[in-house]
Amino acid sequence: MNRITFVVGHFGSGKTEFAVNYAQHLAKTTPQVTLIDMDIANPYFRSYDVRDQLEAAGVTVINGGYIHQADLPSLSPEAYRVFTDTAITGIFDVGGNDNGARVLGYYSEEIDQTHPEVWCVINPMRPETATVEKTRQMIKRIEAAARTKVTSLILNAHMFEHTTSRDINEAYAAFKIFENVDALPLKYVMIHSQVQKKDIQVPEALLFTIDTYMQKPWETER
Amino acid sequence: MRRELWKGNEAIAEAAIRAGCRFYFGYPITPQSEIPEYMAAHLPERGGVFPQAESEISAINMVYGAAGAGARVMTSSSSPGVSLKQEGISFIVGAELPAVIVNVMRSGPGLGGIQPAQGDYFQATRGGGNGDYHHLVLAPNSIQEAVDLMQLAFELADKYRNPVMILADGMIGQMMEPVEWKKAEITEARVYPEWATTGRGGRENHRIVNSLYIESEIMEAHVHHLFSKYKAMEENEVLYEESGIEDAEVVLVAYGVPARIADKAVELLKEEGIKAGLFRPITLWPYPKKRLNDIASLDHVKNFVVVELSMGQMLEDVQLSVNGKKPVHFHGRPGGAIPSPGEVKDAVKKFIGRES
């Protein structure tokens, strides 16, 4: 696997939840895991918001922009460290849609040299990626703005507490077509830790269990 | 119907389209830019028009023009942008036109910050523009309610020929929640009202949209006419939700996202044996004064605690409603900070003298 991964997708697809969980998963076995919060589009529900938890798990967190909670399309030069220091395993948590993915174009030279993974997170519960065809259009827009190709898909059928194993099974059955028709492998099928696993009909090797980090203000006591 | 997962801003935009809105004018500003973005992508597909205005002032005046021509029309912005629209809103009220204005509030004053806040309550409920006027203000506390209130907002705007504001905080715009589309989409062409400036069409007189009345007798009569509509709104359109009032010793009052936090705080207080209830106004103008005053008369209710993302603005409406019958306390966080349920619980305990 390449040591650099960009996580892209529709806004609200679960990119940040995936990136935050994946970085911690990697940090269990890999040294110098670094998560770069590269969301230039959305000032809310950011991976940088949970940096304390990430750092406690051994993940270095870089704020991709200059100012946390800003919506400025400005990038911190600190992120370059991930390209130049080959000891680092970097995960870029990119902003939503083509607007958010545009930031990859800025790194096109580095991307050409390092051939990173570009993983696109899809939540079929989101109306704009509810079908295979709509998802293809979304991926095309993201690729055009990013000036690079998506290399794998992460499937995240998620509707908060209403998510059922059936939702995940149906999404997997519908979206595995990408592997054959579009030559886009499914890298992972996300499953939130509160969803019952016993009825899941997805190959065990694809399942990636995650905890929820992006909480609404009333979902915690403190 | 099957649930879908929506982000607040895009759900608000989709709900407006489903409510028959075919004209949207706006200018991007965080944290509501997904509304113009969604309108740009989807309004033309559904037979509508979205020109991006060169400023908020321009956008509200495009709304004024389209409303005058009888269209179902909307604009949206966030706090500093809504300040710029105030002149236009006053004109639209004066000219008696229906329109919907969405304010997804960020912090202030000035450019402030882009995190959630509720510092525009006074502006929304007292009227930020000139003159004697009011407009309805609806405050959702979930994405589902934002969607449900959108169609109501257009209906009320038409009913009273008066603008209606949806007042949300940035969290409502930015968070994700499941949505069910309960109401049927309005797809049939709009029947233009009889006052709309749709061309003379062979009639003897042309129709005029105007807010200028030079003669004081005529202007005074016009203001009295407007106030007869406000009286009807106060009588017919008040909305609120309440829980746990029946045996509450302390009543929390909050709207929007703080009401979700206060709801959780009520749960935490009950776990500690404190009888707490929640009163949530949905219409901020007209304010549910009468019901709140009735609650203040209940013997078991000893205290009120208002929770806001501001230094205390709705607080004044609660004080006016309670009218000195019971003490009214306040816990607020300005500037984009959000209190946790535990913080609210602790504040309530302190106010009612139940610190552990």
Side-chain angles (χ1 to χ4, degrees), chain A residues 23-99:
Chain A
Q24 294 181 76
H25 168 73
L26 276 186
K28 285 177 197 161
T29 54
T30 313
Q32 294 200 46
V33 173
T34 299
L35 175 67
I36 307 94
D37 182 343
M38 196 53 79
D39 191 340
I40 56 161
N42 188 343
Y44 290 61
F45 302 109
R46 304 282 302 258
S47 47
Y48 195 73
D49 295 343
V50 294
R51 60 191 175 278
D52 293 347
Q53 285 157 282
L54 286 162
E55 277 165 7
V59 177
T60 304
V61 184
I62 295 177
N63 183 13
Y66 282 102
I67 312 166
H68 178 49
Q69 295 187 340
D71 52 352
L72 296 168
S74 63
L75 298 172
S76 160
E78 236 192 314
Y80 272 107
R81 198 171 4 127
V82 179
F83 293 109
T84 54
D85 184 348
T86 54
I88 292 177
T89 295
I91 299 148
F92 284 83
D93 178 14
V94 181
N97 289 18
D98 41 339
N99 293 336

Side-chain angles (χ1 to χ4, degrees), chain B residues 247-265:
Chain B
D247 63 347
E249 55 178 293
V250 57
V251 175
L252 279 66
V253 188
Y255 71 99
V257 154
R260 301 282 287 269
I261 298 164
D263 188 45
K264 177 75 178 176

Side-chain angles (χ1 to χ4, degrees), chain B residues 148-291:
Chain B
D148 295 342
L149 289 178
M150 187 53 72
Q151 190 155 336
L152 177 69
F154 282 107
E155 285 165 7
L156 292 172
D158 276 347
K159 181 177 172 184
Y160 292 103
R161 286 181 62 183
N162 201 67
V164 176
M165 183 174 281
I166 303 271
L167 193 68
D169 52 74
M171 189 55 70
I172 295 282
Q174 292 295 328
M175 70 185 185
M176 311 266 309
E177 281 189 322
V179 165
E180 259 182 282
W181 299 100
K182 295 172 186 166
K183 290 186 180 175
E185 180 171 352
I186 296 172
T187 50
E188 61 270 28
R190 182 164 165 86
V191 177
Y192 284 86
E194 40 80 31
W195 45 261
T197 55
T198 50
R200 189 154 164 192
R203 288 187 313 273
E204 200 163 314
N205 297 309
H206 54 277
R207 295 163 178 168
I208 297 172
V209 165
N210 176 44
S211 71
L212 177 70
Y213 300 91
I214 297 290
E215 291 166 80
S216 58
E217 310 87 78
I218 296 173
M219 187 65 219
E220 187 184 29
H222 179 59
V223 173
H224 280 301
H225 163 65
L226 295 179
F227 271 72
S228 69
K229 297 198 295 185
Y230 306 145
K231 189 164 177 280
M233 291 177 204
E234 287 181 301
E235 282 164 8
N236 304 317
E237 311 304 346
V238 171
L239 295 171
Y240 58 85
E241 195 180 74
E242 56 184 52
S243 63
I245 302 293
E246 57 286 349
D247 63 347
E249 55 178 293
V250 57
V251 175
L252 279 66
V253 188
Y255 71 99
V257 154
R260 301 282 287 269
I261 298 164
D263 188 45
K264 177 75 178 176
V266 164
E267 199 184 301
L268 299 176
L269 287 162
K270 283 181 176 168
E271 279 170 18
E272 295 187 19
I274 295 168
K275 287 175 181 161
L278 176 64
F279 184 80
R280 179 172 75 89
I282 299 171
T283 50
L284 302 180
W285 201 95
Y287 199 76
K289 281 181 201 158
K290 190 180 175 305
R291 177 59 190 152

Side-chain angles (χ1 to χ4, degrees), chain B residues 30-50:
Chain B
T30 306
Q32 65 83 54
S33 292
E34 292 86 359
I35 300 178
E37 209 177 318
Y38 192 89
M39 289 301 199
H42 295 283
L43 200 48
E45 292 169 0
R46 318 268 275 271
V49 178
F50 163 46

Side-chain angles (χ1 to χ4, degrees), chain A residues 44 71 99 125-126 128 221, chain B residues 5 10 30 37 42 114 342:
Chain A
Y44 290 61
D71 52 352
N99 293 336
M125 306 300 195
R126 297 277 289 130
E128 306 244 346
E221 289 192 16
Chain B
L5 190 60
E10 57 172 0
T30 306
E37 209 177 318
H42 295 283
I114 54 185

Side-chain angles (χ1 to χ4, degrees), chain A residues 31 49 106-108 124 149 179 190 206:
Chain A
D49 295 343
Y106 182 74
Y107 296 113
S108 63
K149 291 284 178 191
E179 302 204 290
M190 284 162 73
L206 283 182

Side-chain angles (χ1 to χ4, degrees), chain A residues 94-113:
Chain A
V94 181
N97 289 18
D98 41 339
N99 293 336
R102 203 168 300 277
V103 70
L104 271 72
Y106 182 74
Y107 296 113
S108 63
E109 214 169 286
E110 288 74 18
I111 287 173
D112 286 348
Q113 286 161 8

